[in-house]
């Protein structure tokens, strides 16, 4: 799942300074699941902004709407009526949704209400951890199913660096906790699987072009001729 | 979304309570004011509503006007509440569609009209509560091998089928399903088998454990026995001297004291030459124990009180306790042929594993059940799973039988194979459900499942569903849902936010198990303080959605309070902890935009009216310092 966090509200207030009527657009996809941009957070942000603007003597009217997925045009069409009523949109979808909703309504300015963080797993309520970098060239077969690109701070391909100490990475996470060394995890898993010989297999340098955008993915067998 | 009922027909009865209300408020003026503004079917002012004649007339009016919801405004006497609920039941009106308003505190026609109007709106917003007929499995699984489990199984077997397992030969390795239809996964002779039960009773008991560190390192041996060794050995002690020591182990229960009294009497009957019991505190506060003690004294058992530590010393003539008597200067000595030492009780093997498999909590000493004033002795955090006996802490004598009776009352609800329950569990609007598992993970009662089917109108064809028998209606799930897909009947967002549309200066969201009761008490202590205060009752503080806090302020309140149960004493495991986390975030949200300190989180028990008022004063002082809420949004 795509994981995002709410943007600091002062930034959002700055973006909205010129406007009197805005739409906060939520998404029922990943950002609802990661508790950042669903109907509930739309309501909370709207309430906070209304109060902030009332306090500043500059009241704002806010419409709230949440639809299935902002990364699909068909769902974005449902915002049409409300977009017509406002000066600007704040989207709480991921970076994809924000841009894609903006493309649908190019004459209305759109602003991000979230920072899109990573592709991660929801470990338990309130905790997400990165698992995939979307590098476009998966090596999980060679590394015991643990990704060295996403889980090693240096994205090393052939074993840990000298910064691996007692199973932890020398880099500390933004949340001030120890990061497990990705290569220690790989070693432990391979060891449990009886595949430690894979550690000595050299993984050749990666084609990072596949990880660089702008990327497009086309399947000729599926594309429709709409002419 | 609360379902809107289109054919709501409300009857309003304004009861004067034999002139009590009209002393301050003219009921006819109230009636006229209501008539001019509100939607309802029928209204009447009554002198005394709780008479037989009135009851008959109201019954006739219900028929005549086809009333299906009732609003009774008058006194708040439990008698009138009971009478109207009974009347509703008799007339086939859903009892959740009867609303009561207390007019005895109303000081003006305006206040009375506003109270009635609020209740009327509540009735309009209320979703219809149906009843569900559910098929349940009458079979009960009793887990445990000892006498407690056997007693429980025997008692339950009179009503319904029982299977008893010892959890050793046949072991529980998994659990699925909900009360009335649990599937227990068992390991039986190396084979995995699944069996279905309606309810599960845990009666693993407790086991004695000798801890030499409590007796200065004394090892057990031929003449030094632990209490359980002594009881199990059942040897002949005729002509012998036996000394028992109590108070160093098993300090919190009566079990050792009771066992020693019984053993001492037995020894005396079988001709032991001397029986002495040294003890620190006499523990005989249970049925029959004091009589046993008196009998033992009459038979010549020595009861000797000690203070501080005692030593166990060997002499040529035997083994002795060297101890200090509280009132004598010199040390005292009891010489015996055998000494018997009390032991601690610890949870039986398998307790922790079962707690994990069943997702039920353990508490002090590793026994089942958290230490929580709201926990009834036999209840776990999951409906349909019960405790009996010492597996939730050592218990003695009649307590066991009381527990068995209580469990019997619970499990016998399933004996007939079907139950009817009000459909009050939260409802999920599938269209909004992202199947994110947040509710599933936050539910303290394991009451939620994810169901799949064409009828679930979302991209996953799936939605969360709350099981009506497992759900305990705390509302934690509804408050956590990121998609606003979950509504708790009688406490929907619409209903609660309606209450704070035009809030008082201070809005207190209060848990009905603590804060709300404290607020009722507080009213009687300092009525003046309540002027600027509005209480919004919630079933658990875990239901207090962050948006409730913000909306109260947005709509003009200056301060918001969350009045919740004491720490670790939430009836619903962690509802108050979730509320506290939400309070912290809501205050951050205010701080980010400079709205000041406006939210207070108050732990308060039902009987703490004074503390409640102190908290209200503190809130008032806080908002006096922060000033009028500048975030109020003028519509």
């Amino acid at each position: 799942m795509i994981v995002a966090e709410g943007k600091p509200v002062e930034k959002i207030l700055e973006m909205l300074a010129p406007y009197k009527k805005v739409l906060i657009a939520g998404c029922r996809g990943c950002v609802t699941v990661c508790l950042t941009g669903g109907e509930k957070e739309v309501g909370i942000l709207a309430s906070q902004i209304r109060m902030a603007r009332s306090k500043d003597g500059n009241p704002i009217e806010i419409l709230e709407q949440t639809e299935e997925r902002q990364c699909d045009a068909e769902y974005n069409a449902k915002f049409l009526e409300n977009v017509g009523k406002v000066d600007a949109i704040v989207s709480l979808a991921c970076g994809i949704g924000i841009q894609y909703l903006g493309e649908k309504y190019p004459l209305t300015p759109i602003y991000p209400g979230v920072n899109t963080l990573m592709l991660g797993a929801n470990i338990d309520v309130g905790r997400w951890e990165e698992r995939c970098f979307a590098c476009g060239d998966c090596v999980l077969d060679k590394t015991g199913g643990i990704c060295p690109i996403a889980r090693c701070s240096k994205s090393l391909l052939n074993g840990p660096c000298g910064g691996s100490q007692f199973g932890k990475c020398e880099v500390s996470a933004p949340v001030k906790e120890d990061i497990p060394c990705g290569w220690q995890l790989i070693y432990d898993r391979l060891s449990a699987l009886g595949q430690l010989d894979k550690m000595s297999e050299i993984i050749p340098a990666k084609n990072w072009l596949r990880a660089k955008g702008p990327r497009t993915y086309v399947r000729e067998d599926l594309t429709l001729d709409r002419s | 979304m609360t379902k809107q009922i289109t054919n709501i027909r409300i009857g309003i009865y304004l009861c004067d309570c034999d002139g009590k209300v009209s002393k301050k408020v003219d009921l006819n003026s109230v009636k006229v004011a209501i008539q001019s503004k509100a939607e309802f079917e029928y209204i009447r002012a009554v002198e005394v509503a709780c008479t037989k004649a009135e009851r008959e007339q109201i019954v006739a009016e219900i028929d005549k006007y086809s009333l299906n919801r009732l609003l009774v405004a008058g006194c708040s006497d439990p008698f009138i509440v009971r009478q109207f609920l009974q009347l509703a039941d008799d007339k086939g009106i859903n009892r959740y569609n009867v609303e009561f308003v207390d007019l005895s505190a109303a000081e003006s026609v305006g206040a009375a009209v506003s109270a009635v109007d609020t209740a009327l709106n509540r009735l309009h917003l209320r979703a219809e509560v149906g009843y569900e007929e559910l098929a349940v499995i009458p079979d009960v699984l009793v887990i445990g091998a000892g006498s407690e489990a056997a007693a429980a199984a025997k008692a339950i077997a009179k009503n319904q089928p029982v299977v008893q397992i010892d959890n050793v030969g046949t072991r529980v390795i998994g659990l699925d399903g909900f009360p009335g239809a649990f599937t227990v996964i068992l390991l039986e002779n190396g084979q995995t088998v699944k069996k279905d039960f309606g309810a599960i009773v845990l009666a693993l008991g407790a086991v004695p454990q000798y801890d030499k560190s409590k007796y200065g390192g004394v090892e057990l041996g031929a003449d030094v026995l632990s209490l359980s060794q002594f009881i199990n050995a059942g040897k002949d002690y005729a002509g012998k001297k036996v000394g028992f020591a109590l108070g160093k182990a098993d300090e919190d229960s009566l079990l050792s004291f009771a066992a020693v009294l019984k053993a001492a009497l037995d020894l005396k009957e079988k001709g032991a030459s001397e029986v002495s019991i040294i003890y620190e505190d006499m523990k005989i506060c249970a049925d029959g124990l004091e009589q046993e003690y008196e009998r033992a004294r009459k038979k010549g058992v020595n009861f000797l009180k000690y203070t501080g530590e005692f030593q166990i010393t060997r002499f040529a003539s035997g083994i002795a306790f060297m101890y200090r008597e509280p009132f004598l200067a010199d040390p005292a000595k009891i010489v015996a042929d055998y000494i018997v030492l009390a032991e601690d009780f610890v949870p039986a093997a398998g307790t922790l594993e079962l707690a994990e498999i069943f997702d039920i909590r353990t508490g002090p000493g590793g026994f089942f059940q958290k230490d929580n004033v709201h926990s009834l002795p036999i209840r776990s955090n999951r409906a349909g799973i019960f405790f009996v006996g010492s597996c939730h802490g050592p218990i003695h004598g009649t307590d066991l039988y009381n527990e068995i009776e209580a469990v019997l009352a619970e499990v016998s609800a399933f004996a007939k194979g079907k139950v009817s329950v009000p459909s009050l569990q939260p409802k999920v609007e599938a269209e909004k459900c992202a199947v994110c598992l947040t509710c599933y993970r936050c539910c303290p009662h394991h009451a939620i499942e994810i169901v799949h089917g064409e009828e679930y109108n979302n991209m996953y064809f799936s939605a969360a569903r709350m099981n009506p028998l497992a759900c305990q209606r705390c509302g934690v799930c509804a408050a956590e849902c990121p998609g606003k897909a979950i509504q708790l009947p009688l406490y929907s967002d619409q209903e609660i936010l309606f209450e704070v549309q035009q809030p008082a200066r201070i809005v207190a969201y209060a848990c009905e198990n603590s804060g709300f009761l404290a607020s009722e008490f507080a009213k009687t202590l300092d009525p003046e303080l309540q002027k600027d205060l509005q209480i919004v009752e919630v079933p658990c503080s875990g239901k207090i959605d962050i948006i409730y806090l913000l909306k109260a302020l947005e709509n003009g309140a200056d301060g918001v309070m969350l009045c919740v149960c004491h720490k670790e004493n939430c009836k619903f495991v962690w509802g108050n902890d979730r509320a506290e986390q939400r309070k912290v975030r809501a205050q951050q949200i205010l701080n980010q935009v400079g709205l000041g300190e406006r939210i207070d989180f108050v732990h308060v028990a039902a009987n703490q009216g004074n503390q409640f008022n102190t908290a209200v004063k503190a809130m008032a002082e806080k908002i006096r310092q922060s000033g009028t809420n500048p975030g109020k949004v003028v519509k």
Side-chain angles (χ1 to χ4, degrees):
Chain A
M1 166 192 53
I2 296 171
V3 181
E5 63 171 3
K7 232 180 170 33
V9 73
E10 56 268 32
K11 295 258 161 69
I12 300 175
L13 286 169
E14 242 175 76
M15 301 170 200
L16 297 185
Y19 306 111
K20 289 282 186 196
K21 190 169 181 183
V22 301
L23 166 68
I24 300 186
C27 174
R28 281 195 201 122
C30 304
V31 288
T32 292
V33 178
C34 74
L35 318 183
T36 300
E39 185 171 326
K40 181 194 182 87
E41 293 300 321
V42 168
I44 290 171
L45 182 65
S47 183
Q48 187 184 23
I49 294 175
R50 278 188 210 109
M51 286 194 275
R53 290 281 293 259
S54 282
K55 171 182 158 272
D56 297 341
N58 180 19
I60 186 168
E61 197 182 329
I62 301 179
L63 305 182
E64 303 171 30
Q65 189 179 350
T66 302
E67 293 298 341
E68 200 68 58
R69 277 194 304 260
Q70 289 186 27
C71 53
D72 278 308
E74 289 82 348
Y75 294 121
N76 284 343
K78 296 187 178 185
F79 289 104
L80 177 69
E81 197 185 335
N82 276 340
V83 170
K85 294 179 189 163
V86 297
D87 314 324
I89 308 167
V90 175
S91 166
L92 296 193
C94 68
I96 307 163
I98 301 167
Q99 294 182 54
Y100 207 50
L101 182 61
E103 284 170 41
K104 181 86 185 169
Y105 304 105
L107 299 180
T108 307
I110 190 161
Y111 297 98
V114 307
N115 291 322
T116 304
L117 292 177
M118 61 184 164
L119 302 180
N122 189 185
I123 308 302
D124 198 351
V125 185
R127 184 181 176 91
W128 297 268
E129 289 179 8
E130 184 160 27
R131 286 290 185 271
C132 177
F133 219 73
C135 73
D137 184 16
C138 192
V139 296
L140 287 172
D141 56 317
K142 299 182 177 67
T143 56
I146 292 169
C147 176
I149 309 300
R151 304 186 70 185
C152 164
S153 299
K154 292 177 177 167
S155 297
L156 295 179
L157 280 171
N158 289 287
C161 70
S164 174
Q165 289 281 314
F166 309 110
K168 305 291 181 200
C169 174
E170 66 183 339
V171 175
S172 60
V175 286
K176 298 275 181 285
E177 59 181 56
D178 284 341
I179 302 172
C181 167
W183 273 101
Q184 180 76 48
L185 298 176
I186 292 168
Y187 180 89
D188 292 345
R189 175 76 63 79
L190 287 175
S191 166
L193 292 171
Q195 297 180 0
L196 264 187
D197 51 313
K198 287 199 176 170
M199 283 295 290
S200 51
E201 194 182 310
I202 302 293
I203 304 176
K206 205 172 165 62
N207 177 5
W208 285 100
L209 270 180
R210 291 190 58 84
K212 284 286 292 170
R215 291 178 277 185
T216 303
Y217 172 49
V218 180
R219 269 184 64 179
E220 300 291 354
D221 60 327
L222 295 176
T223 50
L224 279 172
D225 181 3
R226 292 198 181 271
S227 59
Chain B
M1 263 283 289
T2 308
K3 197 167 63 180
Q4 295 288 348
I5 312 294
T6 47
N7 58 343
I8 295 173
R9 298 174 70 87
I10 300 173
I12 304 176
Y13 291 91
L14 304 170
C15 175
D16 196 6
C17 201
D18 204 13
K20 257 190 248 163
V21 176
S22 54
K23 269 186 206 157
K24 284 188 260 179
V25 175
D26 176 34
L27 268 192
N28 248 326
S29 311
V30 176
K31 183 179 154 186
V32 171
I34 297 282
Q35 271 173 325
S36 68
K37 59 189 278 196
E39 267 181 55
F40 58 90
E41 199 56 34
Y42 179 68
I43 188 166
R44 185 159 67 87
V46 194
E47 215 160 277
V48 190
C50 48
T51 62
K52 187 158 178 267
E54 275 301 339
R55 190 192 141 89
E56 277 163 12
Q57 194 177 338
I58 293 166
V59 164
E61 286 160 350
I62 288 170
D63 290 336
K64 185 174 172 193
Y65 298 102
S66 308
L67 304 178
N68 56 19
R69 294 186 180 200
L70 298 177
L71 194 160
V72 186
C75 67
S76 57
D77 194 302
F79 180 79
I80 198 166
V81 171
R82 271 202 306 277
Q83 176 183 312
F84 268 89
L85 291 180
Q86 186 59 49
L87 188 148
D89 286 349
D90 294 348
K91 294 304 295 172
I93 291 177
N94 195 318
R95 52 163 58 207
Y96 297 99
N97 289 337
V98 185
E99 189 74 16
F100 298 91
V101 179
D102 185 3
L103 291 183
S104 58
E107 295 288 342
S108 66
V109 170
V113 170
S114 136
V116 173
D117 201 34
T118 304
L120 198 55
N121 272 308
R122 239 182 250 158
L123 269 185
H124 276 291
L125 288 171
R126 183 156 304 166
E128 197 63 49
V129 175
Y131 286 81
E132 291 181 46
E133 283 282 333
L134 300 167
V136 289
I137 300 162
D139 305 46
V140 176
L141 174 66
V142 175
I143 305 176
S147 58
E148 292 178 341
K154 190 176 161 202
I156 297 166
K158 286 180 195 151
N159 287 331
Q160 58 210 100
V162 174
V163 171
Q164 187 187 345
I165 62 165
D166 57 10
N167 206 36
V168 181
T170 299
R171 218 150 46 81
V172 176
I173 55 168
L175 178 71
D176 258 334
F178 296 100
F182 284 121
T183 297
V184 182
I185 305 158
L186 298 163
L187 194 65
E188 212 167 39
N189 308 319
Q191 301 282 313
T192 302
V193 288
K194 287 184 175 184
K195 286 188 182 160
D196 294 338
F197 297 96
I200 299 168
V201 177
L202 291 159
L204 295 174
V207 291
Q209 192 178 63
Y210 178 72
D211 179 358
K212 68 178 181 184
S213 74
K214 297 199 165 173
Y215 296 98
V218 169
E219 301 281 354
L220 299 177
D223 53 358
V224 182
L225 304 166
S226 75
L227 182 54
S228 62
Q229 277 178 338
F230 175 82
I231 292 167
N232 294 337
K235 267 177 32 185
D236 180 13
Y237 294 95
K240 301 287 185 196
K241 294 179 184 171
V242 183
F244 294 90
L246 289 164
K248 286 291 167 227
D250 186 27
E251 298 97 321
D252 296 332
S253 87
L254 297 167
L255 275 187
S256 302
F257 228 104
V260 165
L261 279 178
K262 188 165 175 291
L265 277 165
D266 198 44
L267 281 171
K268 272 292 180 190
E269 255 158 46
K270 290 180 178 157
S273 68
E274 193 177 295
V275 181
S276 307
I277 298 172
I278 67 164
Y279 67 94
E280 198 163 23
D281 290 309
M282 185 66 71
K283 287 192 178 163
I284 47 175
C285 57
D287 277 358
L289 271 191
E290 188 159 357
Q291 288 92 319
E292 293 257 291
Y293 165 71
E294 295 292 345
R295 273 179 56 216
R297 290 205 74 133
K298 281 198 188 109
K299 295 262 183 195
V301 175
N302 303 318
F303 286 87
L304 304 153
K305 187 171 170 69
Y306 69 85
T307 179
E309 300 303 311
F310 60 76
Q311 279 84 46
I312 295 163
T313 314
R314 239 174 259 280
F315 291 94
S317 56
I319 188 162
F321 293 122
M322 309 290 291
Y323 68 98
R324 197 164 279 284
E325 212 279 344
F327 300 105
L328 297 179
D330 296 329
K333 179 167 86 175
I334 292 290
V335 184
D337 299 309
Y338 298 94
I339 61 170
V340 181
L341 306 173
E343 300 150 289
D344 285 317
F345 285 91
V346 297
T351 300
L352 197 61
E353 289 81 356
L354 277 181
E356 271 172 27
I357 292 167
F358 289 174
D359 192 19
I360 50 179
R361 305 292 187 279
T362 54
F367 289 100
F368 287 128
Q369 205 177 48
K370 280 259 182 260
D371 229 355
N372 180 329
V373 290
H374 290 299
S375 305
L376 290 177
I378 58 155
R379 292 246 180 104
S380 71
N381 53 301
R382 294 185 69 172
I385 302 180
F386 304 99
F387 308 125
V388 152
S390 297
C391 66
H392 64 98
I395 65 161
H396 164 72
T398 48
D399 284 352
L400 174 68
Y401 294 96
N402 292 338
E403 287 195 2
I404 291 175
E405 282 301 314
V407 164
L408 210 53
E410 297 269 4
V411 299
S412 64
F414 294 165
K416 292 208 170 80
K418 60 172 199 268
V419 289
S420 171
V421 286
S423 183
L424 284 170
Q425 75 279 14
K427 305 296 186 299
V428 178
E429 201 181 334
E431 200 181 326
K432 291 182 172 185
C433 177
V435 208
C436 66
L437 300 173
T438 305
C439 60
Y440 179 90
R441 289 170 179 158
C442 289
C443 174
H445 310 114
H446 242 280
I448 301 178
E449 61 186 326
I450 304 295
V451 288
H452 313 281
E454 290 290 326
E455 67 273 31
Y456 302 109
N457 182 23
N458 58 32
M459 65 195 231
Y460 310 100
F461 297 111
S462 308
R465 182 168 70 193
M466 289 69 194
N467 182 284
L469 288 172
C471 175
Q472 300 184 24
R473 292 173 273 282
C474 60
V476 166
C477 56
E480 300 285 351
C481 177
K484 288 261 137 257
I486 306 175
Q487 296 297 341
L488 177 66
L490 311 183
Y491 298 95
S492 67
D493 291 340
Q494 204 185 359
E495 283 163 283
I496 288 178
L497 291 175
F498 172 80
E499 310 261 320
V500 295
Q501 268 181 353
Q502 288 170 312
R505 194 148 178 256
I506 299 173
V507 173
Y509 292 101
C511 166
E512 69 179 17
N513 302 295
S514 55
F516 179 73
L517 300 167
S519 79
E520 294 277 287
F521 181 25
K523 257 189 232 171
T524 65
L525 298 173
D526 189 351
E528 198 48 27
L529 192 60
Q530 317 298 320
K531 269 200 336 264
D532 289 338
L533 178 68
Q534 179 186 0
I535 308 289
V536 180
E537 189 183 357
V538 286
C540 167
S541 57
K543 177 70 179 75
I544 306 171
D545 197 310
I546 204 158
I547 199 76
Y548 299 171
L549 306 174
L550 298 179
K551 278 287 175 190
L553 295 165
E554 188 184 323
N555 292 341
D558 285 336
V560 186
M561 299 168 68
L562 300 87
C563 303
V564 318
C565 292
H566 279 293
K567 197 108 186 122
E568 292 175 6
N569 277 288
C570 175
K571 189 175 175 187
F572 305 113
V573 184
W574 54 46
N576 57 354
D577 294 336
R578 299 305 286 174
E580 188 166 15
Q581 287 167 297
R582 294 185 207 133
K583 179 262 168 182
V584 171
R585 181 170 174 220
Q587 185 58 60
Q588 281 167 355
I589 285 174
L590 300 189
N591 293 345
Q592 283 160 2
V593 295
L595 291 174
E597 294 286 326
R598 301 195 176 272
I599 310 178
D600 264 355
F601 188 80
V602 186
H603 290 291
V604 65
N607 61 352
Q608 292 185 306
N610 272 317
Q611 285 87 337
F612 182 90
N613 280 340
T614 306
V616 174
K617 284 177 200 152
M619 182 83 244
E621 175 55 23
K622 187 180 257 188
I623 57 180
R624 196 187 61 76
Q625 283 176 10
S626 297
T628 305
N629 172 17
K632 178 180 178 174
V633 175
V634 183
K635 298 258 161 61

